[in-house]
Amino acid sequence: MMKKVFGRPRSMKKNIFHYCAGCGHSIAHRLIAEVIDELDIRGITIGIPPAGCAVLAYNYFDVDMIEAQHGRGPATATGIKRVLPDRIVFSYQGDGDLAAIGIAESFHAANRGENITVVFINNAVYGMTGGQMAPTSMLGQKTTTSPVGRDIVLDGYPIQVSEIFSLLPGTAYIERCTVNSPASILKTRKAIRKAFQYQIDGLGFSLVEILSPCPTNWKMTPIESCRWIDEVMSKSFPLGVLKDLPAAEQKQKRGEQTP
Amino acid sequence: MMVKTIFSGFGGQGVLMMGYALAHGAMSAGYHVTFLPAYGAEVRGGTANCTVAVSDDEIASPIASKPDNIVVLNAPSLLTFQNRLAPGGALFLNSSIIAVEPSRHDVRIFKIPSSELAEKLGNPRTANTVMMGAFLKITGLVPPDIFLSSMETVMGSKKKSVIEINHKAFAAGYEFLKIAE
Amino acid sequence: MNKVLMQGNKIIGEAAIRAGCRFYAGYPITPQNEIPEYMSERLRQEEGGVFIQSESEVAAIHMVIGASAAGARAMTSSSSPGISLKQEGISSMAACELPAVIINMMRGGPGLGNISAAQGDYFQATKGGGHGDYRIIVLGPDSAQELADLTMEAFDLADRYRTPVMILADGMMGQMMEPVIFKTPKPRDYPESFIMKGAGAGKSKIIRGLILDPLDMEEHNWTLDRKYQVIAQNETRHELYKADDAELILVAYGTGARIAKGAIKRLRDLGLRAGLFRPITLWPFPTNELRDLAKKIENFLVFEMSTGKMVEDVRLAIQGRARIGFHGRPGGVVPTPVELANVVMRKYDRKEGIIDHY
Ligand SMILES: Cc1ncc(C[n+]2csc(CCOP(=O)(O)OP(=O)(O)O)c2C)c(N)n1
Ligand code: SF4
Ligand SMILES: [Mg+2]
C-alpha cells in the first residue's frame, strides 16, 4: 500500500495563492496550517489576517477568520480571547501592520500578556501598497519612499520588534526565524508549533517573527532574495530564540543559570 | 471623434510606456487625452494594462467598456480583452508570443510578430515600439514624427543609441503592415 | 505656459510644492501612494523641505498640526480608511484654527472596502468627520487641471481662514493622467503673529482647543461659526454646464460630474435638453445657487458614486421646489456615460417629470 507523505493540510483551503513567485507568505501560511493540523486545533482556532499582502489569508486558511483594520489585529484578538478563553487565537501581521500603525496595539497586547499567538512577517517593506519603506527596512535600503536609501537621521533605525517585546514581562515565547532554505523552514515550523503549544498551555503571549522574502518589491529574483536575507537582513535581525520564559523558569527551578 | 485603446501584456513588456507615449503624442497633437493604468491588486500576478482615450472634445470617462482598439502583447491579455472590443474595432496582437487565435470575427485583426522584429533589430525590449509603429500606421491617431518625439520625452533618455533603436523599431512595425497589405 | 501630461496624484504633489508646501507627512495607502512617493523625492530637493513617512495616519495629521503651528505650509494625504484615522487631528486643527491641506483620494468602503474610485466619504468630509462643532472647507475637483488649481487654492484658503481644507477626489482621479498647466501661485500671505516659534523676549503664546468654561467654549463655537458663515458667503463655488436651456439638471461632483457631462452630450443628441450643476465646494455647498436654479427648472437628477449622500444637501437646497431623482453606483463602480444617459431616459418623462421623485 502506498503511504501519502505530502499533501494539502486539512486547515488549508483548496485555493491557489495570489502571492508572487518566491514570496514568503505562502510558506508561512502552509507551516501554520500544518501546525494547526498537528495540534488538532482546527475546530477551535480563530485567525486574524492583517491589511497587507496577506489580507486575503481567509481564502487559504480553513479556520474561522475575522478581518481586522490595519494594525489592529492584536486588539481584535484580545477581544476574542477574553470572551472565548479556550479558543486558540492567532494574529498574522506584516511589519507595517505590526511595527508601524499597529505598534501600540501589538505592544500592549504583549505587555498584558494576552494568551495569543502573533505570526509576524518581516519583509522589510510595505508589500501590498507597492514597496514603501517599512519600520524594518534596512539602513540604506532604497524604497519608493526612501528614494536615496533609508537614512538614520530622517527615518530612524530598523525596529527590532522581537528584542523589544522580549523585555516585556508579559511575553512567554519569542523567536526570530526565516524561510529561505529547507532547514530554516523546518526550524520555523518548530517555532510556530511551540508558539501555539504555549498558548494551548495558557502560558501567555507568543510571537514568531519570520524574515520573509519579497522578490517583487526588493526587485530581486527569488534566489537573490533568499541570499539577501542571509547576507543583509539577518545581520540586523539575528535569528534565534529571544525569549522562552517557561523554559527559563524550569531551568531556574532546577537551579540552573539563565542567560 | 473619440477613440479609446486598451494596451495589455506582461509587466516589463513596456505596456504602460506604449500608452503613456501615445497619450503624450496625442496631447502634443492638440487632442484631449486621458491615460488610466490598472493599479493595485489588479496588477498582482504580473499583468499590466492601461487605457488611453483620445478625443477632440472633453473626455467624460477615461474607462473603456467598449474600446475601439486593443493592443495585446501576450495571450492572457488577448483572452481578457478581446470580448470587450467594439464591433469593427481593431485588434493588434503580438504574433511572436500569442499562439491562440482570436475568437472575434467581427473585428479587424492585425498580427504583428513584434518580438521577432525587435529581436532582428538587436533589441527585444523594443517589441512595444514595433507594435506602436503598426498601431499608428493603421489608426493614424497621431502623426509618426509627433509620436516619436513624444516617446523620446517620456522615456527621458537622451542617449542617441536608445533613440535610434526605437526609431528603427517603430519603422519596422510601420513598414511591416505596408508589406502585408 | 507649458502643458504637461501627469498623473493626478503627482499633480497634487507638484501643485503643493509650487504653492510653497514644505512639510508633508503621510502613510502609504492605495490609491494615493504616488503622493507620498512624489513628495519624498521632491521635498528632498527643496530647501527646508520635510518629508516624513509617519507610523500611521493618526501620527501624520498630528505631525501636520505641529508643522502648521510652526508656520510651515503643510499637507497630508490618504484614502478613505486613513482619513477616518485623521479625524481626531482634523477636529483639533479646527478647534485651534490651524491651516493645513488634507487630500482624500476616496476608495470603496466602508471598512477595508476596495481600492476603486468611490464617493462614499461625502458625509464624513462635509458634515464633520471628527467630533465637535466645526466645519472644514471641502473642494471637489473633476479634472487634472482642477487638481492642480484647487490644491494651490486650498493652501490659500487654509491660510486665509486658518482652517483645514480638504480636497475630496477619488482613486481614478489619482491614477489618471491628463494634461495640466501649472499656474503661478499667489505669494503666501500669513501673518507672523499666528506662528509659534518661541516667545523670545515677548509675550508667550498658547494654541489650544481645551476651553473648560462652557460660556467661553460657547463663545469660541460662535466665533468659529461666524468664520464659517463668512466662508459660506465668499467661497462657494460651482459650475453650470449646458444649463441655460435645460429642461432637466443633473447634479454631480468630481468623477461623477465627468460621467454626467458625457451623459448630457448623449442625451442632447437624443433631443433631451439636459444640463449639469456641479458643486466645486462641497462645503460650503452652493445651496442658494441651486435653489435659484430650481426657480426655473423643475426636474433634477442627482448622480453619485455612493448610495446617496450629497442628494440630501440637494434636497435641503431645493426645499421641495422641484422634483428630485437619484442614481447611485457605490462600491467602486464607475458607470459609463451611456448607462447614466439611459437611467435619465428611464427616470424622466417630459409630461410627468422625474418619475421616482423622493
Ligand atoms: C488605515 C489604513 N492605512 C493604510 C492602509 C493601506 N495598507 C494596506 S496594507 C499596508 C501595509 C502593508 O505592509 P506590511 O504590513 O508590511 O505587509 P506586507 O504587505 O509587506 O506583507 C498598508 C499601508 C490601510 N489598509 N488602512
Ligand atoms: S509583493 Fe512581496 S510580500 Fe506581497 S505577495 Fe509579492 S512577494 Fe509577497
Ligand atoms: Mg511588510
Side-chain angles (χ1 to χ4, degrees):
Chain A
M1 212 180 78
M2 296 251 273
K3 193 172 161 240
K4 189 171 176 186
V5 293
F6 192 79
R8 185 186 295 275
R10 169 72 186 88
S11 305
M12 194 117 264
K13 288 177 181 158
K14 282 188 184 133
N15 285 332
I16 295 168
F17 286 132
H18 72 285
Y19 300 111
C20 311
C23 176
H25 276 298
S26 13
I27 304 172
H29 280 25
R30 188 182 166 96
L31 296 180
I32 295 170
E34 284 178 0
V35 166
I36 292 173
D37 283 3
E38 243 172 53
L39 296 172
D40 197 17
I41 51 172
R42 183 188 158 268
I44 56 165
T45 297
I46 299 169
I48 304 172
C53 278
V55 70
L56 298 175
Y58 40 61
N59 289 346
Y60 310 127
F61 288 108
D62 193 9
V63 301
D64 281 2
M65 308 251 332
I66 175 171
E67 166 184 299
Q69 283 290 332
H70 192 21
R72 318 296 179 216
T76 306
T78 298
I80 295 171
K81 189 77 182 184
R82 295 286 181 114
V83 173
L84 301 169
D86 58 348
R87 300 307 136 93
I88 302 305
V89 182
F90 77 95
S91 165
Y92 185 103
Q93 298 177 260
D95 39 58
D97 195 86
L98 189 153
I101 195 166
I103 190 80
E105 286 78 2
S106 303
F107 190 93
H108 284 278
N111 189 53
R112 289 190 305 267
E114 294 295 343
N115 190 27
I116 59 171
T117 301
V118 171
V119 178
F120 169 35
I121 305 295
N122 179 356
N123 57 11
V125 281
Y126 286 56
M128 166 165 248
T129 42
Q132 294 82 12
M133 186 181 66
T136 51
S137 293
M138 301 289 95
L139 294 178
Q141 187 180 336
K142 280 190 187 160
T143 69
T144 57
T145 48
S146 56
V148 289
R150 182 176 187 155
D151 176 339
I152 297 173
V153 177
L154 301 177
D155 312 314
Y157 297 84
I159 296 184
Q160 293 183 298
V161 169
S162 290
E163 282 80 355
I164 295 167
F165 278 33
S166 297
L167 297 175
L168 299 173
T171 54
Y173 173 66
I174 295 177
E175 179 164 354
R176 185 183 286 121
C177 325
T178 181
V179 286
N180 68 346
S181 69
S184 66
I185 289 172
L186 290 178
K187 231 178 175 171
T188 304
R189 189 174 188 278
K190 261 197 203 141
I192 294 172
R193 189 183 157 120
K194 200 159 176 185
F196 275 90
Q197 186 61 54
Y198 279 19
Q199 184 183 164
I200 293 170
D201 298 342
L203 296 175
F205 188 90
S206 54
L207 180 143
V208 178
E209 173 173 348
I210 302 175
L211 306 186
S212 172
C214 174
T216 301
N217 286 304
W218 295 356
K219 309 213 179 328
M220 295 179 197
T221 65
I223 292 172
E224 285 165 355
S225 305
C226 289
R227 216 175 286 140
W228 196 71
I229 289 179
D230 278 339
E231 288 166 7
V232 180
M233 235 185 138
S234 57
K235 298 287 183 297
S236 283
F237 298 116
L239 304 179
V241 178
L242 289 139
K243 183 163 187 185
D244 191 340
L245 189 65
E249 278 169 355
Q250 283 300 320
K251 275 190 187 169
Q252 231 165 16
K253 266 191 210 147
R254 294 200 299 268
E256 292 167 32
Q257 289 279 311
T258 41
Chain B
M1 154 270 211
M2 159 73 85
V3 177
K4 290 187 177 178
T5 307
I6 291 179
F7 296 89
S8 182
F10 289 127
Q13 280 184 313
V15 167
L16 298 185
M17 191 49 107
M18 296 165 90
Y20 183 17
L22 173 65
H24 194 280
M27 174 181 79
S28 306
Y31 291 111
H32 290 266
V33 58
T34 60
F35 166 93
L36 185 69
Y39 61 93
E42 248 185 286
V43 294
R44 283 279 181 293
T47 63
N49 72 74
C50 64
T51 305
V52 177
V54 178
S55 174
D56 44 22
D57 198 358
E58 266 179 76
I59 297 166
S61 174
I63 297 171
S65 51
K66 254 195 213 148
D68 306 281
N69 312 303
I70 61 174
V71 181
V72 291
L73 297 190
N74 66 355
S77 301
L78 173 67
L79 301 179
T80 307
F81 290 111
Q82 63 176 348
N83 289 336
R84 277 215 221 158
L85 186 58
L91 165 57
F92 298 82
L93 60 85
N94 176 3
S95 56
S96 315
I97 293 184
I98 303 176
V100 274
E101 278 297 316
S103 61
R104 293 283 297 269
H105 300 293
D106 57 342
V107 298
R108 292 175 299 145
I109 296 171
F110 301 96
K111 297 180 182 175
I112 300 103
S114 47
S115 301
E116 280 161 55
L117 290 174
E119 215 147 320
K120 254 190 226 153
L121 293 171
N123 191 339
R125 301 193 54 178
T126 56
N128 59 343
T129 312
V130 173
M131 211 65 182
M132 287 311 292
F135 174 79
L136 288 179
K137 172 80 196 274
I138 297 300
T139 62
L141 261 181
V142 177
D145 55 325
I146 294 186
F147 174 80
L148 284 170
S149 80
S150 279
M151 204 169 65
E152 277 165 39
T153 311
V154 303
M155 287 196 320
S157 174
K158 298 260 178 306
K159 263 207 233 143
K160 245 195 151 161
S161 59
V162 176
I163 293 170
E164 238 164 59
I165 185 88
N166 274 293
H167 277 240
K168 275 190 195 155
F170 184 87
Y174 204 83
E175 297 305 318
F176 177 79
L177 281 182
K178 202 193 295 183
I179 296 161
E181 265 169 355
Chain C
M1 238 175 272
N2 248 356
K3 202 192 254 186
V4 289
L5 185 63
M6 244 176 135
Q7 190 200 40
N9 284 331
K10 292 180 182 163
I11 290 171
I12 290 174
E14 184 57 31
I17 301 258
R18 287 180 190 230
C21 171
R22 289 297 175 271
F23 185 96
Y24 173 94
Y27 188 78
I29 185 167
T30 314
Q32 62 83 56
N33 290 316
E34 294 79 7
I35 303 178
E37 289 170 0
Y38 192 82
M39 294 308 263
S40 74
E41 182 60 37
R42 282 293 270 115
L43 281 170
R44 197 167 62 76
Q45 303 158 359
E46 292 294 330
E47 168 122 13
V50 180
F51 167 84
I52 302 177
Q53 184 182 316
S54 58
E55 67 273 26
S56 70
E57 291 86 351
V58 183
I61 189 79
H62 288 277
M63 288 171 182
V64 163
I65 290 180
S68 170
R73 277 203 148 167
M75 176 170 96
T76 183
S77 66
S78 191
S79 177
S80 309
I83 296 294
S84 291
L85 291 185
K86 290 189 198 293
Q87 295 303 334
E88 177 187 69
I90 295 173
S91 165
S92 207
M93 294 186 96
C96 297
E97 298 195 80
L98 289 168
V101 173
I102 299 138
I103 312 288
N104 182 1
M105 304 311 266
M106 285 183 281
R107 58 187 228 176
L112 284 179
N114 60 33
I115 56 174
S116 288
Q119 298 186 321
D121 301 357
Y122 181 90
F123 281 162
Q124 185 196 55
T126 62
K127 310 284 172 190
H131 63 280
D133 225 335
Y134 77 97
R135 293 283 189 181
I136 62 168
I137 298 174
V138 182
L139 307 172
D142 82 333
S143 64
Q145 190 57 52
E146 268 195 2
L147 281 177
D149 298 348
L150 292 181
T151 299
M152 285 185 182
E153 195 174 351
F155 283 98
D156 295 335
L157 289 169
D159 282 350
R160 191 174 319 138
Y161 297 103
R162 293 204 288 145
T163 174
V165 177
M166 181 178 284
I167 303 277
L168 191 68
D170 62 55
M172 196 178 85
M173 303 256 301
Q175 294 298 320
M176 181 174 70
M177 275 194 190
E178 219 177 13
V180 60
I181 296 170
F182 289 101
K183 299 180 181 144
T184 311
K186 290 179 208 133
R188 189 178 195 196
D189 177 19
Y190 190 67
E192 282 278 313
S193 60
F194 294 146
I195 299 172
M196 183 166 251
K197 43 179 148 179
K203 225 172 130 240
S204 64
K205 191 196 321 275
I206 297 172
I207 297 178
R208 62 168 185 175
L210 177 80
I211 302 171
L212 290 173
D213 185 326
L215 286 175
D216 290 346
M217 187 67 217
E218 183 187 35
E219 187 40 42
H220 183 52
N221 285 143
W222 286 126
T223 306
L224 289 178
D225 192 62
R226 282 190 290 274
K227 173 169 87 176
Y228 300 142
Q229 307 230 7
V230 173
I231 295 174
Q233 229 158 52
N234 296 342
E235 310 298 348
T236 307
R237 282 173 215 165
H238 73 286
E239 183 204 2
L240 281 172
Y241 173 79
K242 297 194 194 284
D244 286 346
D245 65 339
E247 55 189 295
L248 168 84
I249 289 287
L250 291 173
V251 188
Y253 71 98
T255 293
R258 290 179 77 105
I259 309 295
K261 280 184 185 171
I264 287 164
K265 277 181 209 152
R266 195 179 165 81
L267 288 165
R268 285 189 169 257
D269 287 345
L270 297 169
L272 198 160
R273 293 186 319 277
L276 175 73
F277 183 93
R278 177 172 75 93
I280 297 173
T281 49
L282 299 172
W283 195 88
F285 191 77
T287 303
N288 295 333
E289 294 77 358
L290 195 54
R291 189 171 301 156
D292 286 346
L293 199 59
K295 284 180 190 150
K296 56 174 202 170
I297 293 173
E298 281 169 19
N299 290 290
F300 290 79
L301 190 128
V302 181
F303 167 60
E304 294 177 72
M305 280 145 57
S306 78
T307 52
K309 306 265 181 291
M310 182 180 72
V311 63
E312 295 194 3
D313 283 337
V314 173
R315 274 191 264 160
L316 281 172
I318 289 178
Q319 294 183 329
R321 291 187 171 100
R323 297 173 75 86
I324 302 167
F326 174 74
H327 182 59
R329 290 305 303 265
V333 177
V334 183
T336 61
V338 175
E339 170 187 322
L340 184 56
N342 290 343
V343 167
V344 173
M345 296 296 280
R346 218 168 48 233
K347 292 195 183 212
Y348 173 69
D349 178 281
R350 252 199 196 127
K351 274 208 202 92
E352 311 270 316
I354 285 286
I355 290 163
D356 66 345
H357 163 64
Y358 80 108

